Amino acid sequence: MSQGAGALLKQLVSEGVSPWLSARDPAEFATGARYPTLGGHFHNALAPAGSTPSQARRACDLLMPVFEVSKGTVGHVSVPVPPRWAHDARALAAAARALHGAVARPNALIRMPMTPAGVEALADCLADGVGVHASLVFSAERYAEVLDAYVAGLERSLASGRPLGGAPMVASFPVGLFDREVAARLDRLGVPADDEVRGAAGLAVARRMYRLREERLSGDWWRVLRANGALQPRLLWGTGADGGVGALVGWNTALALSVETLEAAAREPALTGDTLLNADAEAACALRALERLGVHAGEVAAVLEAAELARLQHGRAVRTESVPASGPGTGFASAPAAEQP
């Protein structure tokens, strides 16, 4: 890692942005866990589909000092459940519990897609003390459901006497993927390349999510949960290979970055500070401008959710077609797919 990339990571941390190492496949993830990338540079990691329990535990152990010093706010490893359970809440929750037990580390987060079933399973897992990475959140409306489930799960956990700090939640929005889908639609509509709506959609949705979280965390009931040890839910942005790091800066957020994306971002102009706080009005204007052109964020979100789940399920099926089907208790997904955060 270059000196410039290391400096950018330090600047992101000073702005309240936690860096997550994103690897393309289990071999790259294992390499990142073998060298001082984790802990020394990146404070969290996304284990790609196909990673083994031992790889996940190794990454968790490398990040354990960061996890302990931060009192559980960072130092996590996100591990995915098999995508075939995405529409079965009971099976998804069972797979998440089994996977959490297999990794057996307090800083492991179980990554599950936020379909309607995923939202239901999220609350069940948090109630049982299992930390969750809520992935593939493509709209502010779905994020509102995720926040509701987060509070509901913590309420149940509190009622059962569990410590709330043991079940954190991170929710991720693949900003780069969203922007690419919007760009393709604008291309089909013949919108000029220099039109101001270009490149604005993903940031607008991210700003809406950020504002929604700030509103929810200002309520009295959240203060009760916080007083009992609940950790603030963090928003994780996926930028993609085309960058956008400097446009997604806000307190208590995170960025999923490959080493290549980080190196490219280090060659760009320096960060200019917070880009998310008090920007919801601007976000609403950007989304209305897209709607006038016929591009609706809700429709884009629905298409991307279905497409990403199909891609993940197909990737896993290709790798496991010769293996007999098993129940949700098996835990690990064994197909190395380039999963979006």
Side-chain angles (χ1 to χ4, degrees):
M1 184 179 298
S2 69
Q3 184 176 358
L8 176 57
L9 284 182
K10 290 179 180 178
Q11 188 177 0
L12 286 169
V13 172
S14 70
E15 295 281 1
V17 181
S18 180
W20 286 63
L21 176 63
S22 177
R24 291 169 296 184
D25 54 54
E28 183 181 344
F29 177 67
T31 300
R34 192 157 43 239
Y35 298 105
T37 305
L38 291 181
H41 297 291
F42 288 91
H43 293 168
N44 311 271
L46 292 161
S51 303
T52 65
S54 61
Q55 288 173 333
R57 281 192 293 270
R58 170 63 173 158
C60 285
D61 290 343
L62 284 171
L63 287 168
M64 191 63 70
V66 178
F67 177 78
E68 292 175 343
V69 168
S70 69
K71 298 182 179 179
T73 58
V74 296
H76 298 107
V77 177
S78 167
V79 190
V81 294
R84 69 176 179 273
W85 309 119
H87 300 294
D88 185 333
R90 183 174 297 181
L92 189 57
R97 294 187 195 100
L99 181 52
H100 190 260
V103 178
R105 294 294 187 271
N107 54 337
L109 297 180
I110 306 307
R111 184 162 80 246
M112 58 178 70
M114 286 298 102
T115 59
V119 173
E120 182 180 343
L122 165 66
D124 291 341
C125 288
L126 294 172
D128 290 339
V130 176
V132 175
H133 171 186
S135 70
L136 301 185
V137 180
F138 287 107
S139 69
E141 291 75 17
R142 180 54 53 84
Y143 185 53
E145 297 173 4
V146 168
L147 289 175
D148 288 342
Y150 180 60
V151 171
L154 292 185
E155 287 174 343
R156 290 161 56 188
S157 186
L158 181 63
S160 65
R162 289 188 177 88
L164 301 188
M169 185 194 74
V170 173
S172 58
F173 168 43
V175 179
L177 184 63
F178 195 91
D179 274 336
R180 288 192 292 277
E181 173 64 22
V182 170
R185 291 168 182 250
L186 292 175
D187 288 343
R188 291 194 293 270
L189 291 168
V191 176
D194 59 350
D195 195 291
E196 63 181 6
V197 300
R198 295 275 185 175
L203 177 59
V205 174
R207 284 170 165 171
R208 287 192 64 200
M209 290 182 182
Y210 190 87
R211 176 62 176 174
L212 181 62
R213 187 190 64 177
E214 297 307 294
E215 290 174 346
R216 295 295 181 88
L217 297 186
S218 65
D220 291 337
W221 184 235
W222 167 252
R223 283 191 281 271
V224 172
L225 295 175
R226 188 77 177 93
N228 282 275
L231 298 173
Q232 292 189 7
R234 192 181 292 271
L235 279 162
L236 170 62
W237 315 121
T239 63
D242 48 355
V245 170
L248 295 163
V249 176
W251 193 255
N252 197 30
T253 61
L255 277 170
L257 299 164
S258 66
V259 174
E260 292 80 8
T261 300
L262 176 64
E263 292 288 357
R267 295 190 290 270
E268 297 296 323
L271 302 182
T272 57
D274 195 308
T275 64
L276 303 174
L277 184 64
N278 297 325
D280 49 302
E282 184 179 347
C285 288
L287 293 175
R288 283 196 297 268
L290 285 167
E291 288 177 359
R292 286 193 292 269
L293 293 170
V295 178
H296 298 271
E299 180 184 341
V300 173
V303 167
L304 285 175
E305 179 183 302
E308 281 303 292
L309 283 175
R311 184 182 64 82
L312 292 174
Q313 290 165 347
H314 175 72
R316 187 177 194 278
V318 167
R319 294 299 183 110
T320 59
E321 59 184 2
S322 62
V323 179
S326 54
T330 56
F332 264 75
S334 58
E339 184 170 353
Q340 294 292 333

mmCIF file of all heavy atoms in Angstrom, residues 229-276:
data_model
loop_
_atom_site.group_PDB
_atom_site.id
_atom_site.type_symbol
_atom_site.label_atom_id
_atom_site.label_comp_id
_atom_site.label_asym_id
_atom_site.label_seq_id
_atom_site.Cartn_x
_atom_site.Cartn_y
_atom_site.Cartn_z
ATOM 1 N N GLY A 229 -26.513 0.413 26.423
ATOM 2 C CA GLY A 229 -25.362 -0.166 25.730
ATOM 3 C C GLY A 229 -25.496 -0.354 24.238
ATOM 4 O O GLY A 229 -24.553 -0.855 23.606
ATOM 5 N N ALA A 230 -26.624 0.013 23.634
ATOM 6 C CA ALA A 230 -26.784 -0.165 22.190
ATOM 7 C C ALA A 230 -25.782 0.706 21.434
ATOM 8 O O ALA A 230 -25.522 1.847 21.822
ATOM 9 C CB ALA A 230 -28.201 0.193 21.771
ATOM 10 N N LEU A 231 -25.234 0.151 20.371
ATOM 11 C CA LEU A 231 -24.295 0.887 19.529
ATOM 12 C C LEU A 231 -25.044 1.563 18.382
ATOM 13 O O LEU A 231 -26.009 1.011 17.860
ATOM 14 C CB LEU A 231 -23.245 -0.059 18.954
ATOM 15 C CG LEU A 231 -22.356 -0.770 19.978
ATOM 16 C CD1 LEU A 231 -21.468 -1.796 19.288
ATOM 17 C CD2 LEU A 231 -21.505 0.227 20.744
ATOM 18 N N GLN A 232 -24.600 2.738 18.004
ATOM 19 C CA GLN A 232 -25.235 3.430 16.891
ATOM 20 C C GLN A 232 -25.056 2.625 15.605
ATOM 21 O O GLN A 232 -23.953 2.167 15.306
ATOM 22 C CB GLN A 232 -24.638 4.818 16.714
ATOM 23 C CG GLN A 232 -24.971 5.775 17.840
ATOM 24 C CD GLN A 232 -24.545 7.201 17.521
ATOM 25 O OE1 GLN A 232 -24.122 7.488 16.413
ATOM 26 N NE2 GLN A 232 -24.667 8.074 18.495
ATOM 27 N N PRO A 233 -26.128 2.437 14.846
ATOM 28 C CA PRO A 233 -25.985 1.714 13.571
ATOM 29 C C PRO A 233 -25.159 2.526 12.592
ATOM 30 O O PRO A 233 -25.315 3.735 12.475
ATOM 31 C CB PRO A 233 -27.442 1.575 13.095
ATOM 32 C CG PRO A 233 -28.168 2.707 13.742
ATOM 33 C CD PRO A 233 -27.506 2.908 15.071
ATOM 34 N N ARG A 234 -24.271 1.846 11.912
ATOM 35 C CA ARG A 234 -23.373 2.524 10.971
ATOM 36 C C ARG A 234 -23.843 2.288 9.542
ATOM 37 O O ARG A 234 -24.353 1.224 9.218
ATOM 38 C CB ARG A 234 -21.944 2.001 11.147
ATOM 39 C CG ARG A 234 -20.882 2.839 10.433
ATOM 40 C CD ARG A 234 -19.504 2.254 10.636
ATOM 41 N NE ARG A 234 -19.032 2.355 11.995
ATOM 42 C CZ ARG A 234 -18.348 3.400 12.478
ATOM 43 N NH1 ARG A 234 -18.088 4.425 11.703
ATOM 44 N NH2 ARG A 234 -17.936 3.408 13.727
ATOM 45 N N LEU A 235 -23.675 3.285 8.697
ATOM 46 C CA LEU A 235 -23.966 3.174 7.269
ATOM 47 C C LEU A 235 -22.676 2.903 6.518
ATOM 48 O O LEU A 235 -21.679 3.599 6.707
ATOM 49 C CB LEU A 235 -24.615 4.456 6.755
ATOM 50 C CG LEU A 235 -26.122 4.599 7.014
ATOM 51 C CD1 LEU A 235 -26.549 6.053 6.875
ATOM 52 C CD2 LEU A 235 -26.919 3.713 6.068
ATOM 53 N N LEU A 236 -22.698 1.894 5.661
ATOM 54 C CA LEU A 236 -21.537 1.474 4.886
ATOM 55 C C LEU A 236 -21.823 1.698 3.409
ATOM 56 O O LEU A 236 -22.797 1.177 2.867
ATOM 57 C CB LEU A 236 -21.246 -0.005 5.153
ATOM 58 C CG LEU A 236 -20.216 -0.712 4.279
ATOM 59 C CD1 LEU A 236 -18.834 -0.086 4.432
ATOM 60 C CD2 LEU A 236 -20.171 -2.207 4.623
ATOM 61 N N TRP A 237 -20.967 2.476 2.762
ATOM 62 C CA TRP A 237 -21.140 2.764 1.338
ATOM 63 C C TRP A 237 -20.209 1.890 0.502
ATOM 64 O O TRP A 237 -19.036 1.734 0.837
ATOM 65 C CB TRP A 237 -20.828 4.233 1.036
ATOM 66 C CG TRP A 237 -21.400 5.233 1.985
ATOM 67 C CD1 TRP A 237 -20.705 6.142 2.732
ATOM 68 C CD2 TRP A 237 -22.786 5.449 2.307
ATOM 69 N NE1 TRP A 237 -21.566 6.913 3.488
ATOM 70 C CE2 TRP A 237 -22.848 6.509 3.249
ATOM 71 C CE3 TRP A 237 -23.977 4.854 1.877
ATOM 72 C CZ2 TRP A 237 -24.046 6.983 3.774
ATOM 73 C CZ3 TRP A 237 -25.175 5.317 2.412
ATOM 74 C CH2 TRP A 237 -25.199 6.357 3.334
ATOM 75 N N GLY A 238 -20.733 1.377 -0.593
ATOM 76 C CA GLY A 238 -19.916 0.677 -1.570
ATOM 77 C C GLY A 238 -19.724 1.577 -2.772
ATOM 78 O O GLY A 238 -20.697 1.955 -3.423
ATOM 79 N N THR A 239 -18.486 1.955 -3.067
ATOM 80 C CA THR A 239 -18.241 2.932 -4.124
ATOM 81 C C THR A 239 -18.058 2.301 -5.485
ATOM 82 O O THR A 239 -18.358 2.921 -6.497
ATOM 83 C CB THR A 239 -16.984 3.765 -3.808
ATOM 84 O OG1 THR A 239 -15.848 2.895 -3.787
ATOM 85 C CG2 THR A 239 -17.107 4.454 -2.473
ATOM 86 N N GLY A 240 -17.539 1.095 -5.548
ATOM 87 C CA GLY A 240 -17.240 0.483 -6.836
ATOM 88 C C GLY A 240 -15.894 0.945 -7.350
ATOM 89 O O GLY A 240 -15.239 1.818 -6.788
ATOM 90 N N ALA A 241 -15.483 0.370 -8.465
ATOM 91 C CA ALA A 241 -14.159 0.647 -9.005
ATOM 92 C C ALA A 241 -14.037 2.048 -9.587
ATOM 93 O O ALA A 241 -12.928 2.534 -9.808
ATOM 94 C CB ALA A 241 -13.829 -0.384 -10.094
ATOM 95 N N ASP A 242 -15.182 2.712 -9.830
ATOM 96 C CA ASP A 242 -15.124 4.028 -10.449
ATOM 97 C C ASP A 242 -14.979 5.159 -9.446
ATOM 98 O O ASP A 242 -15.120 6.329 -9.794
ATOM 99 C CB ASP A 242 -16.363 4.258 -11.319
ATOM 100 C CG ASP A 242 -17.663 3.907 -10.599
ATOM 101 O OD1 ASP A 242 -17.590 3.405 -9.474
ATOM 102 O OD2 ASP A 242 -18.743 4.124 -11.183
ATOM 103 N N GLY A 243 -14.710 4.829 -8.190
ATOM 104 C CA GLY A 243 -14.364 5.851 -7.201
ATOM 105 C C GLY A 243 -15.552 6.449 -6.491
ATOM 106 O O GLY A 243 -16.514 5.774 -6.179
ATOM 107 N N GLY A 244 -15.483 7.761 -6.228
ATOM 108 C CA GLY A 244 -16.531 8.426 -5.477
ATOM 109 C C GLY A 244 -16.260 8.493 -3.997
ATOM 110 O O GLY A 244 -17.156 8.795 -3.210
ATOM 111 N N VAL A 245 -15.013 8.228 -3.585
ATOM 112 C CA VAL A 245 -14.678 8.200 -2.159
ATOM 113 C C VAL A 245 -14.910 9.569 -1.518
ATOM 114 O O VAL A 245 -15.535 9.678 -0.456
ATOM 115 C CB VAL A 245 -13.220 7.745 -1.966
ATOM 116 C CG1 VAL A 245 -12.781 7.938 -0.515
ATOM 117 C CG2 VAL A 245 -13.059 6.292 -2.386
ATOM 118 N N GLY A 246 -14.454 10.632 -2.147
ATOM 119 C CA GLY A 246 -14.568 11.956 -1.556
ATOM 120 C C GLY A 246 -15.977 12.480 -1.460
ATOM 121 O O GLY A 246 -16.242 13.414 -0.695
ATOM 122 N N ALA A 247 -16.910 11.876 -2.216
ATOM 123 C CA ALA A 247 -18.300 12.337 -2.198
ATOM 124 C C ALA A 247 -19.112 11.700 -1.090
ATOM 125 O O ALA A 247 -20.271 12.071 -0.884
ATOM 126 C CB ALA A 247 -18.960 12.045 -3.541
ATOM 127 N N LEU A 248 -18.541 10.748 -0.355
ATOM 128 C CA LEU A 248 -19.300 9.984 0.641
ATOM 129 C C LEU A 248 -18.597 10.063 1.993
ATOM 130 O O LEU A 248 -18.086 9.079 2.513
ATOM 131 C CB LEU A 248 -19.432 8.528 0.192
ATOM 132 C CG LEU A 248 -20.248 8.321 -1.078
ATOM 133 C CD1 LEU A 248 -19.979 6.948 -1.677
ATOM 134 C CD2 LEU A 248 -21.733 8.492 -0.788
ATOM 135 N N VAL A 249 -18.599 11.254 2.559
ATOM 136 C CA VAL A 249 -17.913 11.491 3.828
ATOM 137 C C VAL A 249 -18.913 12.011 4.852
ATOM 138 O O VAL A 249 -19.572 13.031 4.617
ATOM 139 C CB VAL A 249 -16.752 12.494 3.657
ATOM 140 C CG1 VAL A 249 -16.106 12.807 5.003
ATOM 141 C CG2 VAL A 249 -15.718 11.949 2.684
ATOM 142 N N GLY A 250 -19.060 11.306 5.953
ATOM 143 C CA GLY A 250 -19.957 11.723 7.021
ATOM 144 C C GLY A 250 -19.636 10.972 8.290
ATOM 145 O O GLY A 250 -19.098 9.867 8.258
ATOM 146 N N TRP A 251 -19.965 11.556 9.415
ATOM 147 C CA TRP A 251 -19.630 10.962 10.704
ATOM 148 C C TRP A 251 -20.398 9.666 10.927
ATOM 149 O O TRP A 251 -21.567 9.550 10.579
ATOM 150 C CB TRP A 251 -19.942 11.948 11.829
ATOM 151 C CG TRP A 251 -19.326 11.523 13.134
ATOM 152 C CD1 TRP A 251 -19.943 10.975 14.200
ATOM 153 C CD2 TRP A 251 -17.934 11.596 13.481
ATOM 154 N NE1 TRP A 251 -19.037 10.685 15.189
ATOM 155 C CE2 TRP A 251 -17.786 11.061 14.775
ATOM 156 C CE3 TRP A 251 -16.802 12.068 12.810
ATOM 157 C CZ2 TRP A 251 -16.554 10.995 15.425
ATOM 158 C CZ3 TRP A 251 -15.582 11.993 13.460
ATOM 159 C CH2 TRP A 251 -15.471 11.464 14.747
ATOM 160 N N ASN A 252 -19.722 8.672 11.506
ATOM 161 C CA ASN A 252 -20.295 7.363 11.812
ATOM 162 C C ASN A 252 -20.780 6.657 10.549
ATOM 163 O O ASN A 252 -21.832 6.032 10.519
ATOM 164 C CB ASN A 252 -21.442 7.467 12.823
ATOM 165 C CG ASN A 252 -21.775 6.125 13.453
ATOM 166 O OD1 ASN A 252 -20.921 5.252 13.608
ATOM 167 N ND2 ASN A 252 -23.043 5.950 13.805
ATOM 168 N N THR A 253 -19.984 6.784 9.493
ATOM 169 C CA THR A 253 -20.240 6.029 8.268
ATOM 170 C C THR A 253 -19.015 5.170 7.971
ATOM 171 O O THR A 253 -18.037 5.172 8.722
ATOM 172 C CB THR A 253 -20.534 6.955 7.077
ATOM 173 O OG1 THR A 253 -19.394 7.789 6.830
ATOM 174 C CG2 THR A 253 -21.762 7.821 7.347
ATOM 175 N N ALA A 254 -19.077 4.439 6.873
ATOM 176 C CA ALA A 254 -17.971 3.562 6.503
ATOM 177 C C ALA A 254 -17.918 3.446 4.988
ATOM 178 O O ALA A 254 -18.911 3.696 4.295
ATOM 179 C CB ALA A 254 -18.143 2.183 7.135
ATOM 180 N N LEU A 255 -16.751 3.062 4.488
ATOM 181 C CA LEU A 255 -16.545 2.867 3.055
ATOM 182 C C LEU A 255 -15.943 1.489 2.810
ATOM 183 O O LEU A 255 -14.956 1.124 3.454
ATOM 184 C CB LEU A 255 -15.608 3.936 2.495
ATOM 185 C CG LEU A 255 -16.218 5.292 2.127
ATOM 186 C CD1 LEU A 255 -15.101 6.289 1.838
ATOM 187 C CD2 LEU A 255 -17.137 5.163 0.921
ATOM 188 N N ALA A 256 -16.542 0.745 1.897
ATOM 189 C CA ALA A 256 -15.974 -0.534 1.481
ATOM 190 C C ALA A 256 -15.032 -0.271 0.314
ATOM 191 O O ALA A 256 -15.455 0.241 -0.730
ATOM 192 C CB ALA A 256 -17.080 -1.497 1.061
ATOM 193 N N LEU A 257 -13.767 -0.592 0.488
ATOM 194 C CA LEU A 257 -12.745 -0.239 -0.491
ATOM 195 C C LEU A 257 -11.837 -1.431 -0.782
ATOM 196 O O LEU A 257 -11.349 -2.085 0.141
ATOM 197 C CB LEU A 257 -11.867 0.907 0.039
ATOM 198 C CG LEU A 257 -12.558 2.238 0.355
ATOM 199 C CD1 LEU A 257 -11.646 3.101 1.205
ATOM 200 C CD2 LEU A 257 -12.924 2.942 -0.938
ATOM 201 N N SER A 258 -11.625 -1.681 -2.052
ATOM 202 C CA SER A 258 -10.536 -2.585 -2.413
ATOM 203 C C SER A 258 -9.246 -1.778 -2.375
ATOM 204 O O SER A 258 -9.266 -0.536 -2.391
ATOM 205 C CB SER A 258 -10.756 -3.151 -3.820
ATOM 206 O OG SER A 258 -10.657 -2.111 -4.791
ATOM 207 N N VAL A 259 -8.118 -2.462 -2.339
ATOM 208 C CA VAL A 259 -6.843 -1.755 -2.337
ATOM 209 C C VAL A 259 -6.687 -0.953 -3.623
ATOM 210 O O VAL A 259 -6.188 0.175 -3.612
ATOM 211 C CB VAL A 259 -5.675 -2.755 -2.167
ATOM 212 C CG1 VAL A 259 -4.337 -2.051 -2.311
ATOM 213 C CG2 VAL A 259 -5.763 -3.435 -0.801
ATOM 214 N N GLU A 260 -7.178 -1.506 -4.749
ATOM 215 C CA GLU A 260 -7.070 -0.800 -6.029
ATOM 216 C C GLU A 260 -7.892 0.486 -6.023
ATOM 217 O O GLU A 260 -7.425 1.535 -6.495
ATOM 218 C CB GLU A 260 -7.550 -1.715 -7.168
ATOM 219 C CG GLU A 260 -6.657 -2.910 -7.431
ATOM 220 C CD GLU A 260 -6.879 -4.055 -6.457
ATOM 221 O OE1 GLU A 260 -7.844 -3.978 -5.655
ATOM 222 O OE2 GLU A 260 -6.077 -5.004 -6.486
ATOM 223 N N THR A 261 -9.104 0.424 -5.496
ATOM 224 C CA THR A 261 -9.953 1.621 -5.428
ATOM 225 C C THR A 261 -9.330 2.665 -4.512
ATOM 226 O O THR A 261 -9.353 3.866 -4.805
ATOM 227 C CB THR A 261 -11.356 1.251 -4.934
ATOM 228 O OG1 THR A 261 -11.944 0.306 -5.830
ATOM 229 C CG2 THR A 261 -12.254 2.477 -4.854
ATOM 230 N N LEU A 262 -8.765 2.207 -3.416
ATOM 231 C CA LEU A 262 -8.120 3.130 -2.482
ATOM 232 C C LEU A 262 -6.936 3.832 -3.138
ATOM 233 O O LEU A 262 -6.770 5.056 -2.999
ATOM 234 C CB LEU A 262 -7.655 2.363 -1.244
ATOM 235 C CG LEU A 262 -6.864 3.163 -0.208
ATOM 236 C CD1 LEU A 262 -7.739 4.262 0.405
ATOM 237 C CD2 LEU A 262 -6.308 2.247 0.872
ATOM 238 N N GLU A 263 -6.122 3.079 -3.859
ATOM 239 C CA GLU A 263 -4.963 3.680 -4.521
ATOM 240 C C GLU A 263 -5.410 4.711 -5.562
ATOM 241 O O GLU A 263 -4.798 5.783 -5.704
ATOM 242 C CB GLU A 263 -4.113 2.598 -5.180
ATOM 243 C CG GLU A 263 -3.401 1.664 -4.208
ATOM 244 C CD GLU A 263 -2.239 2.323 -3.480
ATOM 245 O OE1 GLU A 263 -1.938 3.508 -3.768
ATOM 246 O OE2 GLU A 263 -1.642 1.668 -2.609
ATOM 247 N N ALA A 264 -6.475 4.399 -6.295
ATOM 248 C CA ALA A 264 -6.984 5.352 -7.287
ATOM 249 C C ALA A 264 -7.512 6.607 -6.599
ATOM 250 O O ALA A 264 -7.276 7.728 -7.079
ATOM 251 C CB ALA A 264 -8.079 4.693 -8.120
ATOM 252 N N ALA A 265 -8.215 6.438 -5.489
ATOM 253 C CA ALA A 265 -8.763 7.590 -4.769
ATOM 254 C C ALA A 265 -7.663 8.471 -4.202
ATOM 255 O O ALA A 265 -7.821 9.696 -4.096
ATOM 256 C CB ALA A 265 -9.680 7.107 -3.653
ATOM 257 N N ALA A 266 -6.546 7.857 -3.836
ATOM 258 C CA ALA A 266 -5.427 8.628 -3.268
ATOM 259 C C ALA A 266 -4.819 9.574 -4.291
ATOM 260 O O ALA A 266 -4.151 10.547 -3.909
ATOM 261 C CB ALA A 266 -4.367 7.675 -2.722
ATOM 262 N N ARG A 267 -5.038 9.305 -5.570
ATOM 263 C CA ARG A 267 -4.508 10.179 -6.620
ATOM 264 C C ARG A 267 -5.462 11.321 -6.975
ATOM 265 O O ARG A 267 -5.119 12.197 -7.761
ATOM 266 C CB ARG A 267 -4.202 9.352 -7.876
ATOM 267 C CG ARG A 267 -3.080 8.318 -7.665
ATOM 268 C CD ARG A 267 -2.659 7.701 -8.973
ATOM 269 N NE ARG A 267 -3.682 6.829 -9.530
ATOM 270 C CZ ARG A 267 -3.776 5.518 -9.264
ATOM 271 N NH1 ARG A 267 -2.915 4.937 -8.431
ATOM 272 N NH2 ARG A 267 -4.722 4.780 -9.828
ATOM 273 N N GLU A 268 -6.652 11.280 -6.384
ATOM 274 C CA GLU A 268 -7.635 12.329 -6.634
ATOM 275 C C GLU A 268 -7.409 13.503 -5.680
ATOM 276 O O GLU A 268 -6.611 13.411 -4.734
ATOM 277 C CB GLU A 268 -9.052 11.767 -6.442
ATOM 278 C CG GLU A 268 -9.402 10.652 -7.413
ATOM 279 C CD GLU A 268 -9.423 11.128 -8.855
ATOM 280 O OE1 GLU A 268 -9.866 12.280 -9.086
ATOM 281 O OE2 GLU A 268 -8.986 10.366 -9.734
ATOM 282 N N PRO A 269 -8.125 14.643 -5.887
ATOM 283 C CA PRO A 269 -7.994 15.783 -4.967
ATOM 284 C C PRO A 269 -8.337 15.394 -3.538
ATOM 285 O O PRO A 269 -9.071 14.430 -3.294
ATOM 286 C CB PRO A 269 -8.996 16.799 -5.527
ATOM 287 C CG PRO A 269 -9.109 16.453 -6.973
ATOM 288 C CD PRO A 269 -8.959 14.959 -7.050
ATOM 289 N N ALA A 270 -7.809 16.137 -2.584
ATOM 290 C CA ALA A 270 -8.001 15.845 -1.162
ATOM 291 C C ALA A 270 -9.479 15.936 -0.781
ATOM 292 O O ALA A 270 -10.285 16.581 -1.456
ATOM 293 C CB ALA A 270 -7.180 16.815 -0.320
ATOM 294 N N LEU A 271 -9.837 15.277 0.308
ATOM 295 C CA LEU A 271 -11.207 15.334 0.815
ATOM 296 C C LEU A 271 -11.566 16.768 1.191
ATOM 297 O O LEU A 271 -10.716 17.547 1.618
ATOM 298 C CB LEU A 271 -11.349 14.432 2.044
ATOM 299 C CG LEU A 271 -11.003 12.943 1.876
ATOM 300 C CD1 LEU A 271 -11.240 12.208 3.177
ATOM 301 C CD2 LEU A 271 -11.792 12.321 0.743
ATOM 302 N N THR A 272 -12.849 17.071 1.063
ATOM 303 C CA THR A 272 -13.307 18.437 1.360
ATOM 304 C C THR A 272 -14.244 18.493 2.551
ATOM 305 O O THR A 272 -14.969 19.461 2.732
ATOM 306 C CB THR A 272 -14.016 19.035 0.133
ATOM 307 O OG1 THR A 272 -15.117 18.179 -0.241
ATOM 308 C CG2 THR A 272 -13.050 19.187 -1.028
ATOM 309 N N GLY A 273 -14.259 17.428 3.369
ATOM 310 C CA GLY A 273 -15.092 17.433 4.563
ATOM 311 C C GLY A 273 -16.409 16.713 4.356
ATOM 312 O O GLY A 273 -16.612 15.994 3.364
ATOM 313 N N ASP A 274 -17.326 16.916 5.295
ATOM 314 C CA ASP A 274 -18.616 16.230 5.310
ATOM 315 C C ASP A 274 -19.433 16.575 4.072
ATOM 316 O O ASP A 274 -19.610 17.742 3.735
ATOM 317 C CB ASP A 274 -19.390 16.626 6.572
ATOM 318 C CG ASP A 274 -20.559 15.693 6.858
ATOM 319 O OD1 ASP A 274 -21.372 15.462 5.954
ATOM 320 O OD2 ASP A 274 -20.658 15.213 7.993
ATOM 321 N N THR A 275 -19.945 15.537 3.406
ATOM 322 C CA THR A 275 -20.777 15.739 2.218
ATOM 323 C C THR A 275 -22.213 15.269 2.419
ATOM 324 O O THR A 275 -23.022 15.334 1.485
ATOM 325 C CB THR A 275 -20.195 14.981 1.020
ATOM 326 O OG1 THR A 275 -20.237 13.568 1.301
ATOM 327 C CG2 THR A 275 -18.764 15.403 0.738
ATOM 328 N N LEU A 276 -22.544 14.771 3.620
ATOM 329 C CA LEU A 276 -23.832 14.134 3.854
ATOM 330 C C LEU A 276 -24.743 14.901 4.808
ATOM 331 O O LEU A 276 -25.972 14.885 4.639
ATOM 332 C CB LEU A 276 -23.614 12.719 4.409
ATOM 333 C CG LEU A 276 -22.756 11.783 3.553
ATOM 334 C CD1 LEU A 276 -22.506 10.472 4.290
ATOM 335 C CD2 LEU A 276 -23.413 11.512 2.206
#
